[in-house]
Amino acid sequence: MKKELINLIDISKSFDGELVLDELNLSIHENEFLTLLGPSGCGKTTTLRIIGGFVSPDKGQVVFDGQDITSLPPNKRQLNTVFQKYALFTHMDIAENIAFGLKIKNKSKNYIDDKIKYALKLVNLEGYEKRMPDSLSGGQQQRIAIARAIVNEPKVLLLDEPLGALDLKLRQDMQYELIRLKNELGITFIYVTHDQEEALTMSDTIVVMNQGYIQQIGSPETIYNEPENAFVADFIGDSNIIDAIMLEDKLVSILGARFACVDTGFGTNRPVDVVIRPEDVELVKPEEGVIQGTVTHLIFKGVHYEMEVMANGFEWLVHSTEMFSVGTDVGIRVNPFNIQIMNKPESEDEEAAAIET
Amino acid sequence: MKPNKLTDRLLSAPYLLWEAIFIIVPLGMVFYYGLTDRFGAFTMENVVAIMGAEHAKALWLSIALSLASTVVCFLLAYPLAMILAHMNVSQHSFIVLIFILPMWMNFLLRTLAWQTLLEKNGVINNILEFLHMPPLAIINTPAAIILGMVYNFLPFMVLPIYNSLVKVDPNVVNAARDLGANEIQTFFKIIFPLTIPGVISGITMVFVPALTTFVISKLLGGSKILLIGNVIEEEFTQAGNWHLGSGLSIVLMVFILFNMVISAIFDKNGEGNML
């Protein structure tokens, strides 16, 4: 495992008496693309601002490269931020914007000029030195904001929903651009977003947050395929979350039907939550399925058909390239590997957190 | 309903009429009187009269006192506007109220009140005498006039600066801090440059009325200190020489227009045009 660069230790923060972060612990490694993902109000932006130094935690420590920087002002921290609405200096041209941090540090003119050229090349905006920020499109402004941050050679780049204001196509292009940038620069990116697709596309590690708590930390694959609780399953992608009973190891009863699965260690006859992704639900002839149902809705989505199947009192969401028209009787089958078993929330608090999504 | 041109024109008619009667016509009369002599013949004499020793002295004194009070207003207003901009709404409306309250009172009354306060046997000196302290002798001096100007025109400096300060995106300030600037560097490199339009508006809104005032100088400067406004006023009301009064007004207008042009160049976004 790579070296730990940032450690957040027992961070708590409340605004106007409302707890936003509750004893949060998080380690961020060198050269990692880490995404804080969650719905608005989950504490992800506050976490980023605490790392950046714009918000000081009520309790806890921020450790950067082995040093406690909890009370260090933002200008003394070796990291830079790309803000949500770009936050360019509108009274300066592009070159002056990019040079801002370097001039503060009294770098030589040659050094600064070289850096401006290098940064503009890196973000594919060569020759824009004399333009004013207002004359640039949103995507271009965001690239300048990135250029302005990275010329300072930070060890960590903080990105606060940087693509939020861009349209879909541009957002997708910028996602690839950010991955490229991160690989070229070889620095740590900490990225905040509420967009699960963005998080899945770019991250090495995703931290799913809700109501001030970390719900799950893991790679995009782990988060998607093995969500630890109903909140994560529901927030990341579409899913069927069903009450079930774990009969014994590798056998679960879903809506009264017995499904083979691969999970063990849940005990016998224990109530659990089961997650099945809609693309993992196989529709077959009624007699071939484990349970039988009827197609109630059908929508063409381009890549696949989205269907809803009423079976044993549950409306199953199904994605399939094969079409079954409304009213068709079908059987449902699921590959044992695609059944993800999760513990039921134990306390009422956790329950509430899971439901309010 | 889509407004058409005809209704637009009809709706603006009362204002246009008002403008014609009370702005265009008087302005035309000022130019007519200013550029003619008693017999109606064209002359530049009334305008050139500004070069005369006494008139020139009054003009320069006016400019000097207006500039001084503009500078004082700026130095007081900027920190105040910053405090206001950083306050939360409830505190903030209270402070604004304190500031705006005097503005609801008549301008003449406020200035008369200062006269009563500052007079040789006025309120302030009575208190000082009671406390066995030396009396204050600033009535009828340029200092009293500057005081009056600052007092009356300060809100016109505070509001446009406040307006442009609250428009500065907090993230832009954060970005500057993030890039290594300390608080002082952030202020001089980011916050102040971004509020220059507001400052320029404030300067215009203080400098122009200060330059043309005759009430403040008359009430607080006694008859000893003549500003260009007083000279013009006397030509109209006492000497009855409308031609000379208009000619000098034209000169003053040139100064004001110059100031307006500068302010328009800086304030392209109309940020200071709240009042």
Side-chain angles (χ1 to χ4, degrees), chain A residues 94-104 112 116 148 151-152:
Chain A
I94 297 308
E96 288 169 322
N97 263 282
I98 296 175
F100 187 83
L102 301 172
K103 279 187 185 155
I104 296 276
I112 293 177
I116 294 172
R148 182 179 68 177
V151 289
N152 302 289

Side-chain angles (χ1 to χ4, degrees), chain B residues 67-224:
Chain B
L67 278 179
S69 52
T70 306
V71 170
V72 174
C73 276
F74 169 71
L75 293 177
L76 291 176
Y78 208 102
L80 180 72
M82 285 193 84
I83 294 169
L84 283 177
H86 282 115
M87 273 181 177
N88 66 40
V89 179
S90 58
Q91 297 169 308
H92 161 164
S93 32
F94 175 69
I95 301 279
V96 169
L97 186 72
I98 290 185
F99 246 79
I100 300 292
L101 204 60
M103 283 178 76
W104 291 346
M105 255 178 290
N106 185 286
F107 166 77
L108 210 60
L109 269 178
R110 277 179 282 153
T111 312
L112 267 170
W114 271 110
Q115 192 185 34
T116 320
L117 285 172
L118 294 175
E119 266 171 350
K120 215 178 246 170
N121 298 313
V123 179
I124 291 179
N125 278 342
N126 280 335
I127 294 171
L128 287 175
E129 196 184 348
F130 180 75
L131 296 171
H132 301 287
M133 293 198 349
L136 199 66
I138 73 162
I139 191 78
N140 300 344
T141 65
I145 297 176
I146 293 175
L147 178 77
M149 287 175 172
V150 170
Y151 179 77
N152 279 309
F153 302 135
L154 185 61
F156 297 101
M157 183 71 92
V158 176
L159 290 176
I161 294 177
Y162 168 78
N163 237 16
S164 54
L165 271 173
V166 291
K167 275 189 195 158
V168 175
D169 178 0
N171 270 342
V172 168
V173 177
N174 282 343
R177 298 298 311 271
D178 184 77
L179 293 166
N182 61 33
E183 285 183 43
I184 294 164
Q185 287 166 323
T186 305
F187 176 77
F188 283 106
K189 285 174 190 279
I190 303 297
I191 299 173
F192 186 70
L194 286 174
T195 55
I196 283 178
V199 173
I200 300 286
S201 295
I203 289 174
T204 310
M205 283 199 261
V206 172
F207 184 74
V208 170
L211 186 65
T212 51
T213 187
F214 59 90
V215 175
I216 295 174
S217 44
K218 200 168 195 176
L219 293 178
L220 301 178
S223 50
K224 285 180 214 158

Side-chain angles (χ1 to χ4, degrees), chain A residues 5 11 26 67 109 140 146 164 255 267 290 296 307 322 350:
Chain A
L5 191 58
I11 298 278
L26 181 62
Q67 279 182 315
K109 194 176 176 312
Q140 290 171 330
I146 293 168
L255 305 166
V290 180
T296 56
M307 285 163 282
E322 224 180 311
E350 275 182 66

